[in-house]
Amino acid sequence: MNEKVTFSENGQERRALKDYTEEAYLNYSMYVILDRALPNIGDGLKPVQRRIIYAMSELGLKATAKHKKSARTVGDVIGKFHPHGDSAAYEAMVLMAQPFSYRYPLVDGQGNWGSADDPKSFAAMRYTESKLSPYAELLLAELGQGTVDWKPNFDGSMDEPEILPARVPNVLLNGTTGIAVGMATDIPPHNLREVVSACIHLLDHPKATSAELCELVPGPDYPTEAEIITPRKDLLAIYESGRGSVKMRAVWHKEDGDIIVTALPFQASGSKILEQIAAQMRNKKLPMVEDLRDESDHQYPTRLVITPRSNRIDVEQLMGHLYATTDLERSYRVNLNIIGRDGKPGVMSLRQIIKEWLAFRVDTTRRRLEHRLDKVDRRLHLLDGLLTAFLNIDEVIHIIRTEDEPKQVLMARFQLSELQADYILDTKLRQLARLEEVKIRAEQEQLAAEKAKLEQLLSSEARLKTLVKKELQQAAEEFGDDRLSPLVERAETQAFSETELLPSEPITAVLSDKGWIRAAKGHDIDPAALSYKAGDSFLAAAKGRSNQNLFLQDSSGRFYALAAHTLPSARGQGEPATGRLNLPAGAVITNIVMGADEQKVLLSSDAGYGFIAKVSDLYTKNRAGKAVVSIPKGGRVLAAKLIDGDDALIAAVSNEGRMLVFPLSEVPELARGKGNKLLSIPSSRLQSREEYVVDYAVVPTGAELRVYSGKRHLAMKAKDLEHYLGERGRRGHKLPRGFQKVDGLGVE
């Protein structure tokens, strides 16, 4: 006895509240774990499910019987075996009847048993009718054949089976979920044919690994045609460890421009998915979708229609977004926590589960054969006595008629057992017919042959396993079907970013001399003609789209990013850029750039250095910007130039009228830095600002270069540029007279 327990004078038990509550909670925990929430390895059922199945079989509700009111079954279950709430018992029964919840339903329901859209919409038990499904026979067929142990029910008035003698590993086939105290279970359903193949393989090859078994059981098989997209190696890891997660994705195809969803992930609701998509449309987070419809009916149980706004929409990308943001893609936890044959819960690998179940099945089969052998022996024993009596029928009748204790006299006279003597005395007169001897001897021969076969099976472990294999194959042939959930490896999806969801409209961003920014719709505006504040004027403009970023370049070589859709309208005079940015001391905004992420841009300084970067290289979320261009001593940063075409030429011109033209391919591509020398400028002359690069121009094939000097300009075609062609980094050639002082370059 616990030393902490004491007794008072009147015999009352006294103990510390802490000890009592600790023990009580531990007992409750073990009850919930073992007798409520976790399935048994043998039949894969929780106690409530087992009791429902057994109660239905006792009511005669086999697959061949007529349906009976569900309330009758629930009444028997809670009245005889499971003293809990009727609604809880009925819900457990409903789950076993729903073909969209159970891979192989155990109950055949008639009436409203819920829908895949709303599994909880089933009718009350007084309205529905039920019986066992044919598959349930695999669990019950051997129940009365001495295969399992029995225990008293909750009030001791009758017995119930501790487990059902399942002929297939139902724990894997239908799976289950449950939350106990301190542990939970999540076992996905599997395909009967695949699991039976794995069982037979392990019987033939006892040392087979989980990896080998996974060749036969490649993954779960849910009661839906949606795709399982978990990679093969991840599924193998789940089956080796007993833990992980499985991901499912809806199946769709394109039909007359619409997206038609034909299969949803396990337990996903079509109406809920449509609500999720509609909510995004209301919040203007899905501008590429125009309409939604649910066209599901009896012919097409799942048919969700999503209509894109136009046929220019990338439907693959759109579905990728919907997979990432709705229940069109779902993850399912896997935790193979099962009560083993030793009565203890534990997380098992696929190999452990199949190995344990096969041990259970071999043991169950042995018990069935032994039970049958006992019955055969008993019957042969009775037939021996009956034949003895038949051969001495006149004497037997005389003893019965004349003796006061015929049983004892018969036993002594013919060396009969008490069992044989009772059987002879209970025999009806009609069995004394002349042909009875033939029947007795025929039955003896038949039973003797059966006995020999049973003893042969029981004497050899190999023969016993062969029998188990044959019975598994029969079950697979009768109840097996093709896989429903295809295993397909798909790329990861991601939701649209905020910029991708924005409408893509042409805009022109405008920067003023004093650093004010704004954006006008369209590309055909004249930014210089806009109104500016007194003392301010136009400095730079950039054409782009409303879902791109605007990049601002400052005099220190830093770049800053602003979302174009957040810029103020050009109908006003804009707002100062410095209000959104943190510029270094003394730096000012000098230029703006817009373009797609992959657009190339020439970044340079007037020291004659430069390099090519991508627009995406300029991006930063930091208000303080990103240092991109390193400026040599005495130099200044020049405006970034967008590059159009890989076969363009670069023209560089100095303030002294020297110009060099060279191929774009000679300029290095960098993410940031000083770059390489493009036009040679002596460092001493640069630092004294006597000589520096005035401007660069990117000249596409067939374009015309214009050199500006005051009010004059010089138009130069490809033939004219040949004189200035040279290697990158040279001094270049002098421009014609009158263009010794250059203001800038232009391309048309």
Side-chain angles (χ1 to χ4, degrees):
M1 186 178 289
N2 193 334
E3 293 179 4
K4 295 179 182 177
V5 177
T6 59
F7 292 90
S8 61
E9 291 178 4
N10 58 6
Q12 288 181 331
E13 183 182 320
R14 297 175 64 85
R15 59 194 304 189
L17 181 62
K18 175 180 176 293
D19 299 331
Y20 173 76
T21 52
E22 188 177 316
E23 186 181 330
Y25 191 70
L26 187 62
N27 290 338
Y28 166 74
S29 303
M30 292 310 295
Y31 164 74
V32 172
I33 291 167
L34 299 176
D35 208 39
R36 190 186 296 180
L38 300 190
N40 191 293
I41 187 79
D43 57 13
L45 299 175
K46 300 178 190 179
V48 65
Q49 296 169 327
R50 188 177 302 120
R51 287 162 178 164
I52 290 168
I53 300 297
Y54 177 63
M56 291 180 79
S57 73
E58 287 296 286
L59 281 168
L61 295 174
K62 299 288 173 73
T64 52
K66 288 184 179 179
H67 291 84
K68 196 171 279 188
K69 283 287 182 188
S70 302
R72 175 69 192 279
T73 300
V74 173
D76 266 30
V77 170
I78 65 175
K80 293 179 179 178
F81 309 112
H82 199 72
H84 296 273
D86 59 344
S87 60
Y90 183 51
E91 279 198 35
M93 184 179 175
V94 166
L95 199 68
M96 293 191 288
Q98 292 176 335
F100 47 84
S101 295
Y102 259 47
R103 183 65 179 82
Y104 300 96
L106 293 163
V107 176
D108 177 3
Q110 196 167 267
N112 176 13
W113 289 81
S115 66
D117 223 25
D118 186 6
K120 298 276 186 183
S121 62
F122 51 85
M125 58 185 166
R126 61 183 177 274
Y127 300 121
T128 61
E129 296 178 343
S130 56
K131 64 178 180 178
L132 290 169
S133 69
Y135 173 82
E137 277 299 301
L138 291 176
L139 307 182
L140 291 163
E142 300 168 7
L143 190 58
Q145 299 175 25
T147 48
V148 295
D149 295 326
W150 295 71
K151 63 180 181 182
N153 68 340
F154 65 91
D155 62 1
S157 61
M158 59 181 67
D159 288 340
E160 62 174 310
E162 288 187 0
I163 197 168
L164 297 181
R167 282 179 55 196
V168 288
N170 185 59
V171 70
L172 284 173
L173 301 180
N174 275 320
T176 191
T177 61
I179 299 173
V181 178
M183 61 176 66
T185 185
D186 290 279
I187 306 168
H190 292 78
N191 184 273
L192 176 57
R193 286 178 184 163
E194 293 175 356
V195 172
V196 164
S197 299
C199 290
I200 292 170
H201 184 77
L202 195 60
L203 278 172
D204 291 336
H205 308 89
K207 292 185 178 178
T209 62
S210 287
E212 290 175 52
L213 296 176
C214 282
E215 293 296 316
L216 300 166
V217 184
D221 186 22
Y222 293 90
T224 170
E225 293 176 7
E227 297 173 343
I228 295 172
I229 61 165
T230 306
R232 199 69 178 267
K233 62 177 177 25
D234 292 353
L235 289 170
L236 177 58
I238 290 170
Y239 286 128
E240 286 180 336
S241 67
R243 286 195 174 94
S245 68
V246 173
K247 196 175 281 186
M248 289 195 87
R249 187 178 284 181
V251 173
W252 64 277
H253 65 270
K254 223 174 157 188
E255 189 179 294
D256 298 329
D258 291 339
I259 297 166
I260 312 294
V261 179
T262 55
L264 298 176
F266 180 53
Q267 293 179 333
S269 163
S271 58
K272 185 182 175 186
I273 288 168
L274 291 180
E275 282 174 24
Q276 291 171 333
I277 300 173
Q280 292 189 45
M281 291 170 70
R282 279 196 305 273
N283 296 332
K284 298 188 177 171
K285 290 187 176 178
L286 211 55
M288 58 284 295
V289 174
E290 185 176 28
D291 189 28
L292 294 173
R293 292 190 307 281
D294 186 352
E295 295 182 356
S296 307
D297 54 24
H298 288 294
Q299 189 178 358
Y300 303 103
T302 301
R303 185 178 167 86
L304 307 183
V305 183
I306 303 167
T307 306
R309 194 166 289 280
S310 76
N311 35 3
R312 293 192 304 276
I313 301 292
D314 185 339
V315 290
E316 293 281 351
Q317 202 175 3
L318 170 58
M319 288 304 292
H321 169 79
L322 294 177
Y323 285 141
T325 57
T326 71
D327 284 348
L328 285 171
E329 181 176 298
R330 287 183 69 172
S331 288
Y332 303 90
R333 188 174 59 181
V334 176
N335 183 15
L336 306 179
N337 195 359
I338 305 167
I339 299 171
R341 295 185 72 221
D342 58 1
K344 296 176 183 176
V347 177
M348 302 183 186
S349 67
L350 178 66
R351 184 181 185 279
Q352 286 174 293
I353 293 171
I354 295 177
K355 185 182 176 184
E356 282 242 341
W357 183 82
L358 285 172
F360 161 82
R361 181 60 194 159
V362 169
D363 185 48
T364 303
T365 306
R366 183 184 288 108
R367 288 181 65 168
R368 186 186 84 213
L369 297 176
E370 287 171 349
H371 178 77
R372 178 59 187 164
L373 184 59
D374 289 343
K375 288 186 80 171
V376 168
D377 280 338
R378 186 174 184 277
R379 181 64 182 163
L380 282 169
H381 182 61
L382 293 175
L383 288 173
D384 284 343
L386 191 61
L387 188 61
T388 301
F390 191 83
L391 295 173
N392 301 279
I393 190 68
D394 293 335
E395 192 177 350
V396 169
I397 290 171
H398 178 73
I399 291 170
I400 293 170
R401 290 182 67 187
T402 58
E403 296 292 338
D404 293 334
E405 295 280 345
K407 179 176 167 183
Q408 301 301 327
V409 177
L410 284 171
M411 288 170 65
R413 170 69 184 83
F414 300 110
Q415 286 82 48
L416 300 174
S417 69
E418 188 175 350
L419 202 64
Q420 288 173 317
D422 282 335
Y423 186 64
I424 290 166
L425 291 169
D426 291 338
T427 301
K428 293 177 181 177
L429 286 171
R430 84 177 93 191
Q431 287 180 263
L432 302 176
R434 191 169 48 172
L435 294 172
E436 201 62 35
E437 182 185 353
V438 178
K439 288 182 182 177
I440 291 170
R441 292 192 185 279
E443 190 177 350
Q444 278 181 321
E445 286 177 18
Q446 186 182 346
L447 290 173
E450 187 181 349
K451 180 180 177 179
K453 187 179 179 183
L454 289 169
E455 286 174 340
Q456 193 180 40
L457 284 169
L458 287 166
S459 66
S460 167
E461 196 72 22
R463 285 194 177 96
L464 204 57
K465 287 182 177 178
T466 302
L467 178 61
V468 169
K469 266 198 299 192
K470 283 181 182 173
E471 290 177 349
L472 280 168
Q473 285 167 340
Q474 285 171 2
E477 284 172 19
E478 188 175 352
F479 297 99
D481 56 5
D482 294 333
R483 168 174 278 277
L484 282 179
S485 306
L487 292 154
V488 184
E489 293 209 12
R490 302 282 188 194
E492 283 291 318
T493 59
Q494 59 182 27
F496 288 133
S497 63
E498 188 181 348
T499 53
E500 287 175 309
L501 292 171
L502 292 169
S504 178
E505 298 171 344
I507 61 165
T508 303
V510 181
L511 173 71
S512 77
D513 190 49
K514 300 291 185 184
W516 285 59
I517 53 170
R518 49 187 153 165
K521 288 184 178 180
H523 288 165
D524 54 355
I525 67 152
D526 180 5
L530 296 174
S531 65
Y532 293 87
K533 285 183 175 288
D536 201 0
S537 60
F538 167 71
L539 178 63
K543 293 176 180 179
R545 306 198 76 81
S546 56
N547 60 347
Q548 293 176 339
N549 286 304
L550 173 69
F551 296 95
L552 295 90
Q553 180 181 1
D554 76 2
S555 54
S556 70
R558 301 180 79 83
F559 281 83
Y560 309 81
L562 293 177
H565 72 276
T566 65
L567 297 175
S569 170
R571 289 174 185 164
Q573 292 176 330
E575 63 181 49
T578 50
R580 297 194 188 190
L581 313 172
N582 298 333
L583 271 68
V588 293
I589 301 297
T590 59
N591 188 42
I592 53 176
V593 177
M594 282 185 84
D597 286 349
E598 295 302 308
Q599 170 77 54
K600 291 180 179 179
V601 60
L602 176 67
L603 303 177
S604 58
S605 65
D606 68 0
Y609 288 85
F611 61 94
I612 295 170
K614 291 179 181 175
V615 167
S616 57
D617 295 328
L618 311 179
Y619 181 75
T620 176
K621 289 182 179 178
N622 198 337
R623 284 172 60 97
K626 177 181 182 181
V628 179
V629 182
S630 300
I631 307 170
K633 189 175 180 182
R636 294 174 188 170
V637 71
L638 291 179
K641 308 282 185 182
L642 292 177
I643 296 170
D644 185 15
D646 291 335
D647 56 350
L649 297 172
I650 301 291
V653 66
S654 73
N655 61 323
E656 291 194 340
R658 285 187 171 276
M659 188 167 83
L660 177 67
V661 178
F662 52 89
L664 174 70
S665 57
E666 293 184 13
V667 184
E669 291 193 22
L670 304 170
R672 60 171 71 189
K674 181 174 77 170
N676 287 9
K677 187 176 284 188
L678 306 183
L679 180 67
S680 179
I681 303 287
S683 57
S684 58
R685 288 176 63 79
L686 173 70
Q687 289 175 32
S688 63
R689 300 300 291 172
E690 291 177 46
E691 189 178 352
Y692 51 87
V693 175
V694 173
D695 202 1
Y696 295 94
V698 180
V699 189
T701 304
E704 185 178 84
L705 176 70
R706 296 204 169 189
V707 183
Y708 295 93
S709 177
K711 292 183 179 180
R712 289 179 298 173
H713 74 269
L714 178 65
M716 305 179 76
K717 294 188 177 177
K719 191 176 180 181
D720 303 319
L721 294 176
E722 288 177 5
H723 174 67
Y724 301 94
L725 281 171
E727 290 182 6
R728 172 185 58 77
R730 298 300 178 102
R731 287 285 285 156
H733 293 285
K734 282 273 191 180
L735 286 164
R737 196 167 179 177
F739 288 90
Q740 303 305 308
K741 187 177 179 182
V742 178
D743 296 325
L745 299 174
V747 177
E748 287 191 10

